[in-house]
Amino acid sequence: MSSSIHEKPISPEHEEVPDVPHEGSEAHEPIHPDELHSRLTAAYEYGRPNPWGLGYLKMYLFCSLIYLCSTMNGFDGSLMGSINALSNYTTYYGLPPSGNSATGIVFAIFFVGQMVGALFIWLADWRGRRLPIFIGCVGVLVATIVTATARTLAIFVGGRFLLSFFATLATTAAPLYMIEMAPPRYRGTIAGLYNTLWYMGSIIATSAVYGAHLHLSHIGELDWRLPIWLQMLCPGVVALGIWFCPESPRWLVAAGRVEEARNILIKYHVNGDVNHPLVTLEIEEMRDSVKKNGLVSWHNFLDLSTLVSSRSRRYRLMLNIAFSWFGQFSGNNVISYYLPHMLENVGITDTNTQLLLNIIYAIVGWIFAAAGTRFHDLIGRRKMFMGSIAGMIICLAIMSGTAADYVNTGSIPASSASIAFIFVFGAVFAWAFTSMQPIYPGEVLSNDMRAKGMGVFQLTAGVASFVNTFAAPVAMNNIGYWFYVFFVFFDCFEFLFVYFLFVETKGRTLEELDAIFESSNPRNASLKPLDELENEKNEQIV
C-alpha cells in the first residue's frame, strides 16, 4: 500500500465542521490534481472493489429507484403526443385535430413549469438531495389528480404547470444524487443510464394510450383519462422508497456529518472494507470541494456573477447553454410530441397504427440511448455529437423530401421512406444526446459553477422546448414538411458550432478540464494529450 494514501489523515474529532479547522488541529490543505491522480491510482492498487459485491448490488438497487425520476418527462412527452391523436380528448376540450396555438400552449406550459422549477434548485443544498426528490414526486401525484379530473381546459393547463414544476424539483436533484453516490470508476456510466429511463416513461405512456384506446374508447373519456392517472405510477414508487435510500455523502460532508458520509462510502463504494484508502481519499475530496465552493442557498442562488467573472467561465457557460438548447431544439421535441400528427402528414391516419408506431419509436430510442452511454467513453463526446448531428441532418432532409413527394403525388413508397427515417432520426438523436444531457453540462462547469449552471441549463432547456412545442402545431398546420427543412438548416449550424467550439471531455478529470478552459483555445487544447498541454503551459511560464 502506498504511504501517500495516509499523508493527510482525517481526525474524527475535527470532522463536525469540515471546512473550518478546529484550534490545535492540522489545517486541511487542498489536494493538488497530480497528488489526487497518484493517490487515486494507489487506492486502486490496494484493491479494486468488486462491482458485484453486496454493497454495490444494494447501491444498484436504490440507484434504480432514482432512475424512475427520469421517466416523468418521457411519460409526459409521449402521453400528450398520444392522447392528442384521440378524438375523445380533442373533442372534450374543443381542440382542433390538426393543432393550433391552444394545442401548443397545452404542451408548452410544461416547459414554463420547468423554467420556474429551475429557480428552486437550491433546495437540494438546503436539506439534502432526497427532500426535493420526495417533494417533487408527491407534487406530481397531486398535479396528476388535478389534470386527470380537470373539467375545463384552463384547469387542465394549470395542472400541467404544477406537474412540470414539481417534476423539475425531482429531476434536477436526482442526477446530482446519482453523480455524488456513484463510485469514481462508474460515475459516467451510472449517470448516463439515468437519462435513458426517459424512454421507459415514454413506453409506459404510449402503451397505456394504445391499450386504452383499443379497448376503452367506447366508454366515455376513459381512453385518455386512464393513461393520465398512470402518470402517478413511477413518482409514487419513488416517493415511497426515497427515504430508504442513503443521503448523498457529499451533502452530508457539507452539513458536517462526516462520519455518516464515511459509513455510506464504506458500505457502498468498497463493499464494507473499513480500511480501504479510497474512502479516506473521497472524504478529503469532498471536504476540499465544500471548503472551496460551499452550498447554494435561496439568497445567493440568483447571484450569477460567478458564472461570468472570467473569460474561461464565460466559455464554460456558453457550452452549457448551447448544449441545453441543442438538446431540445434539434427536431427531437417536435417528433416526440407530435409524432402522430407527423404520421398523418404522410398518410398514416389510423389512430391505433399511430399509437403503435409511437411505442416502437420509444423502444428504438431506449435501445440506442443505452448503447450510446458506453460509446461516449470509447469514441468521445465531440465525435459522438457531430456524428449524431450529421445523421439528423440527413434524416430530416430525407423526411422533408419524401413528405413533399407524398403530399404532391400520393406515393406510398415515399410515405414509407418518410416513416422509416422518422425512426432513424430518433435512434440517431438518442445515441449521442440522450445519455449526455445530465453529464456534459456538469463536466464543462467548474465545481463552484455547477449548481447555478445546472439551473441555467434547466431554464434554457425550458425556453427552447417552449418555443418549438408552442410553434410546432401552427407551423406543421401551415407549412407542413417545410417545418422539417428549418431544422435541417438549424442542425447544420449545430454541427459547425460543435466542431469549432465544443471541448472534448472524454478521459479527463475535472481538474484537467480546468487547465483546458484556461488555455487560449479550449477546443484545441482539449484535443491534445495532457502531457503536451502541460509542456505548452510550462513554456509560456518560462
Side-chain angles (χ1 to χ4, degrees):
M1 186 190 317
S2 172
S3 60
S4 65
I5 295 295
H6 303 292
E7 285 177 359
K8 295 174 183 170
I10 302 175
S11 302
E13 64 269 22
H14 300 309
E15 289 182 343
E16 287 304 307
V17 185
D19 57 336
V20 181
H22 290 256
E23 184 179 355
S25 68
E26 179 184 0
H28 183 75
E29 298 294 334
I31 307 175
H32 188 274
D34 292 338
E35 181 188 357
L36 173 61
H37 179 74
S38 63
R39 294 176 69 183
L40 186 60
T41 301
Y44 284 122
E45 287 178 354
Y46 172 91
R48 296 182 184 274
N50 179 11
W52 301 109
L54 181 60
Y56 272 65
L57 292 177
K58 290 180 179 178
M59 181 185 64
Y60 299 151
L61 180 62
F62 65 72
C63 283
S64 298
L65 177 74
I66 303 300
Y67 284 161
L68 295 180
C69 291
S70 184
T71 64
M72 288 188 278
N73 288 337
F75 191 105
D76 182 84
S78 296
L79 172 71
M80 293 309 301
S82 295
I83 67 173
N84 197 55
L86 305 182
S87 59
N88 283 349
Y89 163 77
T90 55
T91 301
Y92 186 87
Y93 287 124
L95 298 170
S98 58
N100 63 3
S101 59
T103 306
I105 197 63
V106 170
F107 290 145
I109 194 65
F110 189 88
F111 304 109
V112 176
Q114 178 180 330
M115 289 183 278
V116 177
L119 299 176
F120 292 83
I121 192 174
W122 52 268
L123 282 172
D125 273 1
W126 178 45
R127 288 288 186 254
R129 310 317 192 201
R130 295 181 300 176
L131 181 64
I133 293 175
F134 176 76
I135 293 174
C137 290
V138 172
V140 168
L141 300 182
V142 174
T144 299
I145 295 172
V146 174
T147 55
T149 59
R151 295 299 172 185
T152 67
L153 185 62
I155 295 176
F156 187 79
V157 170
R160 284 184 47 71
F161 172 85
L162 290 176
L163 191 149
S164 173
F165 173 82
F166 285 110
T168 299
L169 294 183
T171 57
T172 300
L176 291 176
Y177 180 91
M178 298 300 307
I179 291 170
E180 293 170 356
M181 275 303 308
R185 285 175 57 84
Y186 305 102
R187 186 172 292 128
T189 300
I190 290 176
L193 284 172
Y194 166 81
N195 209 47
T196 67
L197 269 287
W198 187 99
Y199 290 101
M200 177 180 172
S202 177
I203 291 168
I204 294 173
T206 51
S207 299
V209 176
Y210 175 74
H213 180 71
L214 197 62
H215 301 289
L216 304 174
S217 60
H218 62 287
I219 308 177
E221 307 145 21
L222 203 57
D223 62 335
W224 60 273
R225 289 203 186 269
L226 179 60
I228 292 177
W229 280 109
L230 288 178
Q231 203 156 12
M232 303 176 72
L233 177 63
C234 291
V237 172
V238 176
L240 290 174
I242 185 62
W243 297 112
F244 294 97
C245 300
E247 183 54 86
S248 158
R250 184 189 182 280
W251 183 84
L252 290 172
V253 169
R257 296 157 60 180
V258 181
E259 276 306 306
E260 291 182 53
R262 186 192 302 278
N263 291 334
I264 289 172
L265 295 176
I266 290 172
K267 184 174 182 179
Y268 298 110
H269 284 198
V270 293
N271 293 313
D273 185 353
V274 296
N275 297 315
H276 203 293
L278 180 63
V279 174
T280 299
L281 182 58
E282 287 192 86
I283 288 289
E284 292 191 14
E285 260 195 290
M286 293 173 190
R287 291 180 64 177
D288 288 337
S289 177
V290 170
K291 183 177 181 180
K292 180 187 296 183
N293 307 319
L295 294 175
V296 175
S297 64
W298 67 268
H299 61 273
N300 65 16
F301 180 70
L302 294 179
D303 179 9
L304 302 181
S305 59
T306 186
L307 301 179
V308 295
S309 59
S310 67
R311 181 190 62 84
S312 64
R313 287 171 178 266
R314 290 189 291 272
Y315 196 102
R316 291 172 184 264
L317 182 62
M318 174 193 68
L319 295 183
N320 176 280
I321 292 174
F323 186 80
S324 178
W325 191 275
F326 295 166
Q328 308 297 327
F329 211 79
S330 300
N332 53 300
N333 258 11
V334 173
I335 291 179
S336 172
Y337 274 83
Y338 298 106
L339 178 58
H341 185 61
M342 295 174 69
L343 294 172
E344 187 176 343
N345 284 344
V346 291
I348 305 298
T349 57
D350 178 67
T351 301
N352 286 330
T353 303
Q354 291 176 355
L355 296 176
L356 183 59
L357 290 174
N358 226 0
I359 298 172
I360 296 172
Y361 182 84
I363 294 173
V364 170
W366 196 1
I367 293 171
F368 279 84
T373 301
R374 180 56 183 155
F375 278 101
H376 273 290
D377 283 333
L378 298 176
I379 299 175
R381 316 308 195 229
R382 280 171 46 86
K383 291 179 180 177
M384 287 280 284
F385 292 152
M386 289 188 291
S388 178
I389 294 169
M392 288 190 288
I393 292 170
I394 294 171
C395 290
L396 286 166
I398 295 175
M399 287 162 55
S400 302
T402 52
D405 189 20
Y406 172 78
V407 170
N408 294 325
T409 68
S411 169
I412 299 301
S415 171
S416 299
S418 185
I419 294 169
F421 276 93
I422 287 175
F423 283 81
V424 175
F425 175 93
V428 170
F429 175 87
W431 184 64
F433 277 82
T434 298
S435 60
M436 272 296 108
Q437 287 188 5
I439 298 177
Y440 191 79
E443 288 179 328
V444 300
L445 296 172
S446 62
N447 289 333
D448 59 328
M449 297 174 68
R450 194 159 293 123
K452 295 179 182 179
M454 291 307 289
V456 173
F457 174 84
Q458 289 283 2
L459 283 170
T460 306
V463 172
S465 299
F466 179 87
V467 170
N468 63 26
T469 54
F470 183 74
V474 179
M476 287 190 292
N477 198 38
N478 293 332
I479 62 175
Y481 55 81
W482 286 105
F483 191 47
Y484 313 151
V485 177
F486 164 79
F487 285 107
V488 171
F489 286 103
F490 187 84
D491 287 356
C492 287
F493 164 74
E494 276 189 28
F495 184 92
L496 294 174
F497 195 101
V498 170
Y499 178 80
F500 286 108
L501 295 173
F502 269 40
V503 301
E504 180 55 69
T505 61
K506 183 192 78 153
R508 306 277 190 180
T509 66
L510 297 178
E511 291 76 14
E512 291 172 21
L513 290 175
D514 289 341
I516 285 172
F517 280 106
E518 291 295 335
S519 65
S520 59
N521 189 324
R523 176 263 193 188
N524 289 346
S526 73
L527 302 179
K528 298 177 181 179
L530 181 61
D531 54 356
E532 183 179 337
L533 183 63
E534 289 295 327
N535 291 337
E536 290 182 3
K537 183 178 179 181
N538 293 334
E539 290 174 2
Q540 292 174 0
I541 294 175
V542 174

